[in-house]
Amino acid sequence: MGEHDPAAGEPTANEPTANEPAANEPATNDPAVAESPTDESAPIDAAFYSKGSLRLRGSQVPTTTADQSLLESRDTSDWVHEDPWRVLRIQSEFVEGFGSLAEIGPAVSIFGSARLSADTQAYQDAREIARRIAARGNAIITGGGPGIMEAGNLGAREAGGVSIGLGIELPFESGLNDHVELGVNFRYFFVRKTMFLKYSRGFVVMPGGFGTLDELFEAFTMVQTGKVTSFPIVLFGTAYWRGLIDWMTTTLLVEGTISDRDMNLFTLTDDIDEVVDIIGTAIADAGDGDGQ
């Protein structure tokens, strides 16, 4: 997680912001300016923008993300003086992630679109898959956002399992969903991706977009190159994923850019029972070691 610099102008825990009443003032009736929750189980205020450990809104919301600042090209050599210091922030995110997740036990990550709402079949399937996997003693890890991620966290809680959200600083998403019990927010995608791979025993990949595909092919690459072992990858939704699998077969495989063995890195199914059996068996075989 990023450092908190009081000199940067963020309010401390005891100081009211410009939009919030002081402790001795009555709360505003404006629903957009809610009182800070005192109950740890209360939902996170979605009006806040998440930036590492910070929660910002109004004029404090940045116009760029930490990832963008790191990767953008510059015409000057100023980066020589700035990037070495940025390494310390990156290091702090690794330390925060490792420290927060080291004792969660067996865990499975569920990926999918943030745009699929609770009235979709994919959401309900993800919720049921998470519930049944969590009932077998596994923590559930998601990206902590809405849609399929929310469904995964909800299913974990319904089964009494550990519900984990690994959030990321994005310009169009704000905060973690209400069903996350252990949440860690990251500035940098590559740190977050490391946490998914290190602390998961397997991936369940629901219908999703670019972010879901990014995590999927990252997992393919890590398994293909032997960086992770005993790591099941399940694609759920044959109608959704069939076009991708056909392209991999008729283009990548035919052109020789992947091998026949690579097509066995995953399972494609519509059967929730099969998902649970594949993940359950793989976790039982994995023992107590982590996925690395």
Side-chain angles (χ1 to χ4, degrees), residues 96-146:
E96 184 76 17
F98 292 154
S100 300
L101 302 174
E103 298 180 351
I104 62 173
V108 175
S109 287
I110 296 179
F111 298 102
S113 176
R115 303 180 184 186
L116 296 178
S117 61
D119 60 357
T120 63
Q121 187 60 49
Y123 183 105
Q124 296 303 324
D125 289 339
R127 177 178 176 179
E128 178 64 12
I129 289 169
R131 187 189 67 79
R132 292 176 60 179
I133 292 176
R136 290 194 172 193
N138 304 291
I140 298 297
I141 304 175
T142 77

Side-chain angles (χ1 to χ4, degrees), residues 35-43:
E35 288 184 304
S36 298
T38 56
D39 183 353
E40 293 182 356
S41 64

Side-chain angles (χ1 to χ4, degrees), residues 104-249:
I104 62 173
V108 175
S109 287
I110 296 179
F111 298 102
S113 176
R115 303 180 184 186
L116 296 178
S117 61
D119 60 357
T120 63
Q121 187 60 49
Y123 183 105
Q124 296 303 324
D125 289 339
R127 177 178 176 179
E128 178 64 12
I129 289 169
R131 187 189 67 79
R132 292 176 60 179
I133 292 176
R136 290 194 172 193
N138 304 291
I140 298 297
I141 304 175
T142 77
I148 298 300
M149 295 173 280
E150 176 186 283
N153 292 126
L154 173 57
R157 289 191 64 185
E158 289 175 333
V162 180
S163 174
I164 301 168
L166 305 183
I168 185 69
E169 177 189 346
L170 292 174
F172 46 81
E173 287 184 19
S174 180
L176 301 173
N177 68 67
D178 295 344
H179 304 292
V180 171
E181 296 175 320
L182 170 57
V184 186
N185 265 305
F186 296 93
R187 288 183 170 92
Y188 301 102
F189 267 110
F190 58 88
V191 179
R192 180 179 182 243
K193 287 158 74 82
T194 299
M195 301 303 153
F196 278 124
L197 283 166
K198 178 171 177 57
Y199 293 105
S200 297
R201 281 6 188 220
F203 284 178
V204 177
V205 187
M206 305 295 294
F210 288 158
T212 302
L213 291 171
D214 179 41
E215 299 295 350
L216 173 61
F217 280 94
E218 177 83 8
F220 281 166
T221 303
M222 294 296 102
V223 176
Q224 180 199 52
T225 56
K227 299 297 184 181
V228 294
T229 58
S230 301
F231 197 88
I233 302 169
V234 182
L235 300 180
F236 190 85
T238 56
Y240 188 86
W241 294 112
R242 177 55 64 189
L244 174 64
I245 304 308
D246 288 346
W247 173 75
M248 292 170 61
T249 303

Side-chain angles (χ1 to χ4, degrees), residues 2-12 53-54 89 187:
E3 315 92 296
H4 178 74
D5 183 4
E10 297 89 12
T12 66
S53 61
L54 304 179
R89 173 179 284 175
R187 288 183 170 92

